[in-house]
Amino acid sequence: MPDTLTIPRPDDWHVHLRDGDMLRAVAPFTARRFARAIVMPNLAVPVTTTALASVYRARVIAAAGPDFTPLMTAYLTDTSDAADLIAGHRDGVLTAVKLYPANATTNSAAGVTDIARVMPVLAAMAEAGMPLLIHGEVTDADVDVFDREAVFIDRILAPLVARLPALRIVFEHVSTAEAVAFVTEGGPNIAATITPHHLHLSRNALFAGGLRPHHYCLPVLKREHHRRALVAAATSGSPKFFLGTDSAPHPVGDKEAACGCAGVWNAPFALESYAGAFDAAGALDRLEGFASRFGPAFYLLPVNAKMVTLTRATTPVPERIGDLVPFHAGEILAWRAT
Ligand code: DOR
Ligand code: ZN
């Protein structure tokens, strides 16, 4: 096994940077490692239009510094204006549209209540080549929370792909073997992101010695066989699977609470974390495609020219960074990025 690995600077194809003080606190961690990132639009006031994305982009650039390119998304609602979204894409403000089923996760109350309502918008996006990024979970109270992704595939995603095969789709933060199979067997217009926490942890981690709120995210961690399917997909060399951290900070008091928020803040050590997962699978040679090449290929963007080097070196992760608990808090990681 090599002790160093030099790869083109990666991008993060799914991140939550928030706004205000939190944005200023977290954006530098993403900008330190990633050249570009797909910025999620689920702010307290969702980023639903091209105009809102444009002003949010300016705030992100101010917080992250000049070496980082935020790629903006618009939050799809039942009443989204297709013409505005398509114009935003044409003019380079919007990279993609994000579909949250209403009430699926943090700040998703304004999300889509019925996919039928947004079919005209999705058809226009397919026509324009504008990607749709999907939080793939049904929200029905009678569906077990661990089954919500698999049920979403059957009820929503498979019919959508059949109806609009030209629509370019990223199935975000896949968490199940069913999602891996669906993406693997799909055509070239469907891809998926995989987070570091879903590669490292199964649902046992949520209850290891007591309730572990910092491992709670959505989609929730699944059984070990699903984790293994995700590792197999990420390390397969298939260009359909690429890096998306879903780094999602919440103040420690909102995580360690009677009703704790969903989200793992993994931005500070995300690349080291992915390297550890690939190393454990004996697949370090596959990290470059996953982290640096397959995302740009799907989004029709160039691979970054600058490089990053990963070295096998003990890297302690602090218990806290400010008001936030990072993924792997208190652990010593085996890789270091420079
Ligand atoms: O765990 C999550 N946190 N999953 C999501 O889908 C949203 C995110 C957040 O914004 O906190
Ligand atoms: Zn997310």
Side-chain angles (χ1 to χ4, degrees):
M1 274 289 154
D3 287 333
T4 68
L5 184 68
T6 299
I7 61 176
R9 209 163 143 75
D11 307 296
D12 185 349
W13 300 101
H14 183 133
V15 70
H16 299 267
L17 294 178
R18 313 302 194 204
D19 211 347
D21 289 345
M22 183 67 96
L23 168 64
R24 285 185 283 278
V26 302
F29 289 98
T30 291
R32 188 169 66 127
R33 287 285 173 259
F34 299 103
R36 299 168 289 206
I38 291 273
V39 180
M40 287 297 127
N42 63 329
L43 304 183
V45 177
V47 180
T48 50
T49 64
T50 298
L52 286 170
S54 182
V55 291
Y56 181 39
R57 178 168 68 175
R59 299 198 296 276
V60 171
I61 290 170
D67 267 357
F68 173 74
T69 304
L71 304 172
M72 307 311 290
T73 59
Y75 181 120
L76 192 62
T77 72
D78 287 352
T79 57
S80 288
D81 175 3
D84 173 60
L85 302 181
I86 302 297
H89 185 242
R90 181 197 62 213
D91 297 343
V93 177
L94 295 176
T95 297
V97 168
K98 178 68 188 268
L99 164 59
Y100 289 105
N103 302 314
T105 187
T106 307
N107 295 338
S108 63
V112 173
T113 61
D114 180 351
I115 190 91
R117 298 206 168 144
V118 294
M119 283 310 289
V121 180
L122 301 184
M125 288 169 56
E127 175 89 24
M130 185 178 196
L132 178 70
L133 317 184
I134 299 185
H135 183 111
E137 291 191 288
V138 296
T139 54
D140 314 50
D142 62 339
V143 178
D144 189 281
V145 67
F146 292 97
D147 297 335
R148 287 181 182 181
E149 185 172 280
V151 172
F152 184 89
I153 296 169
D154 291 343
R155 289 192 191 164
I156 311 288
L157 188 55
L160 174 63
V161 169
R163 187 144 163 211
L164 289 177
L167 183 61
R168 305 180 63 241
I169 292 175
V170 183
F171 193 172
E172 299 286 356
H173 43 56
V174 287
S175 68
T176 58
E178 288 89 338
V180 166
F182 185 80
V183 171
T184 303
E185 289 157 19
N189 288 333
I190 182 152
T193 53
I194 304 181
T195 79
H197 40 287
H198 288 96
L199 288 179
H200 279 281
L201 305 177
S202 75
R203 67 191 199 180
N204 278 359
L206 286 168
F207 310 107
L211 194 56
R212 301 290 185 165
H214 298 291
H215 292 155
Y216 174 55
C217 63
L218 288 169
V220 72
L221 299 170
K222 306 295 193 303
R223 286 178 183 274
E224 175 65 8
H225 80 89
H226 295 292
R227 188 192 72 82
R228 286 175 195 243
L230 298 172
V231 171
T235 61
S236 66
S238 164
K240 286 169 156 279
F241 297 96
F242 46 81
L243 186 158
T245 64
D246 199 19
S247 183
H250 293 277
V252 64
D254 291 350
K255 293 289 293 174
E256 298 174 6
C259 184
C261 292
V264 173
W265 185 51
N266 57 34
F269 296 92
L271 198 51
E272 293 86 343
S273 180
Y274 279 116
F278 276 65
D279 194 13
L284 269 179
D285 58 326
R286 299 276 169 86
L287 184 62
E288 177 170 338
F290 177 83
S292 310
R293 295 193 179 277
F294 303 155
F298 184 87
Y299 280 97
L300 310 175
L301 291 168
V303 172
N304 296 308
K306 287 189 187 165
M307 308 296 279
V308 62
T309 295
L310 283 150
T311 310
R312 202 184 288 279
T314 52
T315 303
V317 177
E319 295 281 359
R320 281 272 188 109
I321 300 176
D323 195 23
L324 299 170
V325 175
F327 183 41
H328 297 297
E331 294 177 36
I332 295 176
L333 303 182
W335 289 88
R336 183 170 302 171
T338 48

